[in-house]
């Protein structure tokens, strides 16, 4: 088996075994969504108004919760050596790690989005755009997060530093993602937003593996 | 003819050098024991040799090439096991062994892996999660990789730690076999007289003053 | 040592408290519980979906009541049992109580989930919305979280079943304390509460034809709960006592 | 019969409720049998491991 | 020095040295608050309406980020032994840990609240009630969180489980806390809400140390 | 007259017992070495004795009292250092030593702590963060506590691991001193012949069948 697939397979096995990585972000989302009406009190009618923003911010936060683990786990137990001390290109291994992370934590968010949307009274004709935008946006979270995770993996409390590092980078994703949903909920076309998101994703796929690989190497020195 | 030559290498931690620069040369079949007091820099030196971190001075040549100019070749030929074992808590012993090697591009079948685990004294633990092993069992699981790899150069940081008497003997025998097959060994160990007698050379690191 | 006078209740307590006899005694009931549950469900649903007259206001959509309300009652009933078992498990460290606690959580969570979804399915035609942040719904959702919390704790510590059970018990008890808090706080905050359409307590506006299937279903679900819970509890006991002789006998002779 | 299935126009709501009820109960029923089987299998292998030693 | 103060002092030293524990929750809050207008797009006028809820939810989330560390750190490096294997009552040690945690992560939130409030256009006559409610509410987060942390300290990925466990317990705090701010922003008296919050805090102070101590003991078995 | 008596104690991991029940009795000045193969349950047993986890069977009596009925007395008199050292990465060596002891209710002044660090070979590392020590130095920092504590019972899990030769000798000498002052010692160690000769009794754990 090629190292790439071996790495993806290992990470998927780990994720499915830990389970928590998959279902707990979802529960987290649900919980926070519940908090909103609780906190809003009589202002509950505004829910639909803020639904796109809340859904996207929640997806971002739920991703953030698992991002720091992309490389940190491997660093902590020493298994990062298995792909650093080898002639197989590190950037490919980074790609494998990102892919596994998205499958485990991004994809469930996409699939689960309609439930959150119902709870927040999002108009049902926007569900398609919501899921599409998340489908393009969540991999970007994983990509950008992998750089942050590579930079902070040797820190004991890197989780919050990572948040601070990647949040500004992810702001545009949030703007266009939530923007797409807002437009579609108003009955307008969301094409421009989706296009821009896709562009960002392509950029990430081509650049991030090398950036993250460099970050890992710097971190280990 | 030595294929690894280190000239005046030294390492740094924080802002100061750790030990007086050292020289050594290793031919196939030779072994080197790094020793010295606690904190003199053995682990740091081993990690640098393995390719993890940079030297503060000096060079290592491998087959006439400076190591930094040809890291891929070095990675293909050398195999490192450090303090951290690299086991995944949530994978079983079998999965740990197989996935670690496959990620390094080494093919291994399940029966081979089962056999390796047996040799290392983990028969019956194939499906136990690595997080539920005792200290010595964890070390054994990491060392099981040595049975499967074909790399001519082994770099081991305190591999005897936590092993019981039988485990130490097994490890000594496999190290012997490795050097007899023209392998090279770079190792650290405290307080183990037998390994001291077996290695070709012992290099005592001395702290800088 | 003083001689203790044993009465029936004490003896029963000791018998049910010892895993082997609990396993043996519960074995007698299992089949019957399942059988009665199936039969009563059949009767209840036939009665409710076919025989009962349509509601003059809601039409046939009201028939969701025969799923929704029994499930809603069960979701709370099971949590109460779980909480009591948890208290016993913590205070007296009784293995059987741990078993009951662990075995109640999954089925209780299922009941809660059905309540939520059927409530949603009822809300769409009645209120025109799948979901409203009303007091009852919100607290039911939080109940689901509590169940999930208990189960997640148990699985997280899966390497040692007994420790895991005691941890889960702690969560369940804390959740028990939480239930009234949620109930009241939610009342406090809520302003868009939808009053009950049908009341069966006191001045009943529901006819006997409509009530009969509801009660039948309520009993049927209790029987199924009994079955599911006992079956899981037995499995739990086998798992935690795997070194004991009686477990080996059961496993090897294939008598369950 | 058709009228019965139609549920006065509320077919989707009523029948999905009933369906959900049965499916969930079935899932629960199956999962407890599976769990019981695996536990018994594990205990058997545990006994075997002991006997072989 | 009494063990209680020794423990508080050690944790404060650690917190001040790590720094991240203090300033990163604040940065996190700021970032998310920034995300809201970004995500809302044209709906920015609704900001003031949702301000009380958002501030309180953010305080909750920011606390959650550090809650799992209360005991987990000590468990991981073995220093939990220093207060478990001693005849000094464990519940006192728990109280010390909670106190240190609140001083490091709760208090800054209280002090920082007006800044967030300004950003979200909360009417300025509510600032007092906002800070008061947070002053009473954030210690409750630390208290309840300590139970969750004690329960999950031996897990590698306990952070999300902890979230799931404590969120339902913290819901009432959120309701009354945000409720207080809503009432005051509408010009009403928030006394009842504040009183209820205070009651919860008193309950926590008397009960939680024992519950958390029990959780630690069960966890170590 | 023995003050610690263990009768038929055994431990469990997951859902099964690890080793055949053992018995021992210790009088002041005596020492006990627990040994056995990797994974037989030494660490588990030590942690149970220290009071961390429950026994699956049997009882320990300390001064005629069952241990669980009088844990406070036991905690006051026993001191445990396990695999995990209990050092805080972000505290300096000095802070680590002082705070750990104070939290346990043991008074210690700064000069005393500096002296203890010196004795343990960490002179000059007072203000280095514990996270930046080598493996052996971390162990030394943990063992420095032994100099300060007055507890008559020491429970140590593989304390020789990672120590260099000088470190092992120092540890042996301090253990000697402890038993000469009527202290009690319960210890595990692999492959260390000297400790085996020094202890009053060696107890070899045997796996259950
Ligand atoms: C997702 C939405 C819903 C949830 C979570 C929900 C939850 C509950 C719960 C927990 C109960 C038990 C209350 C108790 O016994 O104290 C209940 C009872 C009941 N629900 Fe719902 N419900 C929902 C939607 C609806 C809808 C849409 C209707 C009808 C229009 C409805 C009608 C009833 C009735 C008639 C009862 C029994 C009345 C009683 O016991 O007082 N529910 N529901
Ligand atoms: N967390 C755990 N959960 C379940 N089983 C465990 C766990 N940790 C260890 N075990 C098992 O318990 C047994 C005893 O482990 P323990 O650490 O006590 O051994 P040990 O005698 O100290 O071994 P070593 O010499 O390797 O340190 C081992 O067989 C191991 O597989
Ligand atoms: N992360 C770090 N940052 C800064 N200094 C460090 C770090 N880790 C170790 N050191 C210092 O570097 C020196 C060498 O450490 P190293 O781990 O290489 O020693 P070692 O020879 O392997 O010792 P041991 O025998 O104890 O394993 C030590 O004096 C230590 O204080
Ligand atoms: Mg070292
Ligand atoms: Mg051990």
């Amino acid at each position: 088996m090629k190292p790439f697939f071996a790495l993806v397979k290992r990470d998927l096995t780990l994720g499915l075994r830990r389970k928590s990585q998959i279902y707990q972000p979802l529960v987290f989302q649900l919980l926070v969504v519940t908090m909103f009406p609780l906190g809003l009190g009589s202002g509950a009618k505004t829910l639909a108004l803020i639904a796109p923003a809340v859904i996207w911010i929640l997806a971002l936060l739920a991703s953030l919760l698992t991002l720091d683990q992309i490389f940190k786990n491997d660093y902590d137990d020493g298994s990062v050596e298995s792909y650093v001390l080898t002639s197989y290109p590190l950037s490919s291994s980074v790609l494998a790690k990102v892919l596994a992370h998205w499958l485990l934590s991004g994809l469930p968010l996409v699939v689960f989005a309609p439930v959150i949307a119902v709870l927040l009274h999002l108009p049902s004709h926007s569900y398609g755009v919501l899921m599409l935008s998340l489908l393009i946006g969540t991999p970007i979270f994983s990509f950008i997060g992998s750089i942050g995770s590579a930079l902070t993996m040797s820190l004991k409390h890197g989780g919050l530093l990572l948040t601070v590092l990647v949040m500004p980078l992810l702001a545009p994703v949030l703007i266009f993602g939530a923007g797409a949903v807002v437009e579609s909920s108003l009955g307008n076309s969301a094409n421009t937003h989706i296009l821009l998101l896709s562009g960002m994703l392509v950029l990430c796929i081509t650049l991030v593996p090398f950036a993250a690989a460099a970050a890992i190497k710097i971190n280990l020195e | 003819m030595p294929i690894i030559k280190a000239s005046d290498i030294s390492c740094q931690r924080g802002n100061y050098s750790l030990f007086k620069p050292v020289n050594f040369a290793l031919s196939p079949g030779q072994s080197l024991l790094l020793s010295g007091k606690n904190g003199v820099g053995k682990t740091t030196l081993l990690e640098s040799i393995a390719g993890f971190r940079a030297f503060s001075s000096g060079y290592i040549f491998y087959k006439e090439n400076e190591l930094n100019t040809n890291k891929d070749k070095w990675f293909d030929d050398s195999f490192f096991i450090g303090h951290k074992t690299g086991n995944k808590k949530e994978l079983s012993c079998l999965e740990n062994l197989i996935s670690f090697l496959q990620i390094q591009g080494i093919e291994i079948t399940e029966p081979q892996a089962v056999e390796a685990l047996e040799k290392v004294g983990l028969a019956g633990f194939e499906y136990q999660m690595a997080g539920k092993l005792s200290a010595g069992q964890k070390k054994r699981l990491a060392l099981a990789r040595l049975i499967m790899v074909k790399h001519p150069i082994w770099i081991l940081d305190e591999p005897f730690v936590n092993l019981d008497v039988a485990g130490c003997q097994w490890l000594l025998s496999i190290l012997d076999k490795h050097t007899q097959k023209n392998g090279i060994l770079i190792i650290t160990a405290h307080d183990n007289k037998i390994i001291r007698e077996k290695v070709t050379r012992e290099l005592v690191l001395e702290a800088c003053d | 040592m003083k001689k203790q006078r044993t009465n029936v209740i004490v003896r029963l307590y000791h018998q049910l408290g010892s895993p082997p006899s609990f396993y043996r005694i519960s074995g007698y009931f299992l089949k019957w519980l399942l059988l009665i549950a199936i039969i009563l469900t059949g009767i209840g649903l036939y009665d409710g979906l076919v025989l009962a007259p349509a509601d003059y206001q809601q039409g046939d959509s009201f028939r969701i009541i025969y799923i929704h309300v029994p499930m809603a009652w069960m979701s709370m009933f099971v949590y109460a049992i779980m909480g009591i078992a948890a208290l016993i498990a913590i205070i007296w460290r009784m293995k059987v109580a741990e078993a009951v606690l662990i075995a109640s959580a999954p089925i209780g969570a299922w009941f809660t989930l059905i309540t939520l979804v059927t409530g949603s399915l009822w809300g769409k035609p009645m209120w025109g919305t799948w979901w409203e942040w009303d007091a009852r719904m919100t607290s039911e959702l939080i109940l689901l979280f509590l169940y999930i919390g208990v189960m997640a704790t148990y699985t997280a510590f899966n390497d040692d079943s007994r420790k895991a059970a005691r941890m889960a018990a702690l969560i369940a008890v804390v959740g028990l304390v939480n239930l009234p808090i949620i109930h009241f706080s939610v009342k406090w905050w809520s302003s868009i509460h939808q009053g009950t359409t049908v009341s069966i307590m006191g001045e009943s506006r529901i006819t006997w034809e409509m009530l009969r299937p509801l009660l039948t279903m309520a009993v049927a679900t209790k029987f199924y709960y009994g079955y599911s819970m006992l079956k899981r509890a037995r499995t739990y006991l086998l798992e935690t006592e795997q070194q004991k002789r009686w477990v080996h006998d059961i496993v090897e002779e294939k008598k369950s | 019969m058709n009228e019965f299935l139609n549920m006065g126009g509320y077919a989707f709501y009523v029948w999905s409720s009933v369906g959900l009820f049965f499916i969930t109960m079935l899932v629960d029923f199956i999962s407890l049998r599976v769990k019981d089987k695996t536990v018994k299998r594990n205990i058997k292998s545990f006994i075997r491991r002991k006997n072989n030693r």
Side-chain angles (χ1 to χ4, degrees), chain D residues 46 49-50 53:
Chain D
F46 178 78
R49 200 203 291 181
K50 266 177 47 174
R53 214 179 292 159

Side-chain angles (χ1 to χ4, degrees), chain A residues 28-92:
Chain A
F28 168 81
Q29 273 205 324
L30 253 181
L31 282 168
V32 180
V33 166
T34 318
M35 300 284 126
F36 263 95
L38 292 181
L40 281 176
S42 55
K45 292 142 226 153
T46 43
L47 266 186
L49 223 68
I50 58 168
V54 170
I55 294 176
W56 262 90
I57 291 175
L58 278 182
L60 177 54
L61 291 181
S63 301
L64 272 178
L65 285 178
T66 56
L67 279 186
D68 65 325
Q69 299 300 328
I70 299 183
F71 292 111
K72 190 173 173 37
N73 274 335
D74 288 359
Y75 178 83
D76 284 348
D77 59 25
S79 62
V80 71
E81 291 164 16
S82 63
Y83 46 86
V84 171
L85 297 183
T86 161
S87 57
Y88 190 74
L90 186 51
S91 52
S92 306

